[in-house]
Each structure stands twice: as structure tokens, then as C-alpha cells.
Amino acid sequence: MPPPPLKCINSPKFSKSFTLSEVLITLGVIGIMAALTLPTVISKYKRKSVETKLAKFYSVMNEAVKMSIAEHGEIEFDTAHRESINNAEYIEQWYKENLTKYIKTLKWEGADKSNQYFRAVFADGTSFSSYLSGGQDFVISALWIFYCTRDYKNCKKDGFDGESQFLFRYEPNKRMIVPEYEDRPLDVIISSCKQPNKGSRHGCSAWIEQNGWKIPEDYPWIR
């Protein structure tokens, strides 16, 4: 006697599938969830990226300061170069002799056309520009440092908007590179950072530093 015929598992009796309406509903739900969660994910990523880069910049620069002082002694500025703001070539030489020899950089931009700002670029594409205060009224030179967390090609040489560019300075008395306004009361720091004018946000790097290099919840410029 021949064996009984096998049942086909692909017969309609055994198949299960989604209807077109069910698929569209599922895709709609996924789209809604993505629209609700994606901005939060992007915001957290942006904040974490800036926090990491700021903390690394602060650490790398001050490690270079320590190594330079250990090898050469005090880091000083040539008095003659305080009397002019067109001193970027001198600043470039100063950095190469005192700091950046201890830091891996991808590229030297050097002095700009006005000979006011010097810029160096790190291997990760971030950069810093620097400006040395001049003029006969300056008893002590102020070395300003503008650190940019974005690709260096998109950075202003003198910007500190609190979003992607942050203001630091070299503090000779502390032998450190510090965030600008770091020695002021916290309320003054916060008020400065929240200024609507991008060129007035001196305290943003100090606010983040005083929060353990974590961007505060009410920080306005990185959402």
C-alpha cells in the first residue's frame, strides 16, 4: 500500500502573515517613537562629545605646561612683544618652544594674515587659536586661547560662543591654562555664559569646568 500523501506546510491552512494595514500601523508607531527619541539621543551625544573634548583639551594643555616647566623652568613672554597686537609669529614660536612640542598636532596653521592669531590643529580635527594682549598699558601679558570642538575649518579664530568654541587663558601665577572667569563667583560665571551676544560668553568654559566638566542641565547653548 503506498504511503499517505504529505501535508504541505505552505498551504493556506498553516501560513501566517501581516496584513498591509498592520504593517503600516507598525511602521507608523516606529516612526513616532523615533521622532520622539532621536532629538534626545542627538542632544546627549552632542553634550557628551563637547564634555569629553573640553576635559581632554584642559588635561593635555596643562600636562604640556607641567612638562615644559620641568624642563625649562618658568614660562615667560618676551616683554617687547607685549607692545603690539600683531605678534602671532612670536606666539607661534613661543608655543613651539614651550608647549606644543609636548603635544601631538596634525597641522600648524601658524599666524593669520593680520599676524594677530596663531592656530594649531589636533589630530582629532579640533583646534585652538591664540592671541597675546598687547599695548603699553599691559603690565602682564594676557595669552588668550580659543578652543574649538568642531572641525577647525569651521572655527573662528577669536570665537567663544559657548556652543562649539570656548575661552581659556594662560595664568602665570598658577602655572596653568584655565577657563576664563574661573576665579569669579558662580553666579557671575553663569550670567556671563547666558549672554545673548556670542562675543560676551566669557564664562561658559568655567561653568562647565566647575560642574566637573559636565554640561549643566540648564546650560542654554547645547541642546
Side-chain angles (χ1 to χ4, degrees):
M1 178 180 292
L6 297 175
K7 293 182 178 180
C8 179
I9 61 173
N10 293 321
S11 65
K13 182 178 179 181
F14 294 95
S15 66
K16 293 183 179 180
S17 62
F18 295 103
T19 65
L20 178 60
S21 61
E22 289 173 330
V23 171
L24 292 176
I25 291 171
T26 302
L27 291 176
V29 171
I30 293 173
I32 292 171
M33 294 300 295
L36 292 173
T37 59
L38 191 58
T40 301
V41 172
I42 294 174
S43 176
K44 287 183 178 180
Y45 172 79
K46 287 172 62 178
R47 283 175 165 247
K48 184 64 177 178
S49 176
V50 171
E51 291 168 353
T52 301
K53 290 174 180 178
L54 282 173
K56 181 179 179 181
F57 172 76
Y58 179 80
S59 174
V60 166
M61 294 295 283
N62 279 302
E63 185 62 27
V65 171
K66 290 180 182 178
M67 294 174 69
S68 179
I69 291 175
E71 182 174 350
H72 304 293
E74 294 298 326
I75 299 177
E76 299 179 346
F77 299 107
D78 183 347
T79 304
H81 290 90
R82 294 207 304 259
E83 298 179 359
S84 171
I85 61 172
N86 303 110
N87 50 25
E89 292 180 355
Y90 165 71
I91 301 172
E92 179 176 3
Q93 176 188 347
W94 182 89
Y95 268 106
K96 288 181 177 180
E97 291 177 353
N98 293 290
L99 294 187
T100 48
K101 63 182 290 186
Y102 306 105
I103 303 171
K104 293 181 180 179
T105 55
L106 176 66
K107 178 180 179 181
W108 292 100
E109 283 250 315
D112 65 358
K113 292 180 180 180
S114 67
N115 196 30
Q116 290 186 29
Y117 296 94
F118 155 76
R119 178 155 69 184
V121 182
F122 292 106
D124 62 359
T126 63
S127 65
F128 71 88
S129 299
S130 201
Y131 163 75
L132 182 64
S133 295
Q136 296 179 353
D137 294 334
F138 283 87
V139 178
I140 300 176
S141 295
L143 183 69
W144 304 107
I145 302 168
F146 309 89
Y147 175 61
C148 182
T149 61
R150 294 184 301 176
D151 182 85
Y152 74 98
K153 295 178 183 178
N154 299 315
C155 300
K156 293 176 61 178
K157 292 186 177 180
D158 59 347
F160 50 100
D161 58 13
E163 181 178 357
S164 61
Q165 296 189 253
F166 299 85
L167 183 60
F168 292 77
R169 74 175 190 276
Y170 178 65
E171 180 57 67
N173 294 332
K174 295 183 178 180
R175 299 179 175 180
M176 291 182 66
I177 287 170
V178 300
E180 175 61 356
Y181 276 31
E182 55 90 29
D183 54 351
R184 303 197 182 192
L186 183 58
D187 60 332
V188 175
I189 291 173
I190 294 174
S191 176
S192 166
C193 182
K194 289 185 175 182
Q195 292 296 315
N197 182 1
K198 292 182 179 181
S200 299
R201 299 172 188 169
H202 299 78
C204 289
S205 53
W207 188 9
I208 297 172
E209 181 225 10
Q210 293 202 13
N211 199 47
W213 294 115
K214 300 295 180 183
I215 296 173
E217 289 297 324
D218 57 338
Y219 191 86
W221 309 123
I222 304 176
R223 295 293 186 186

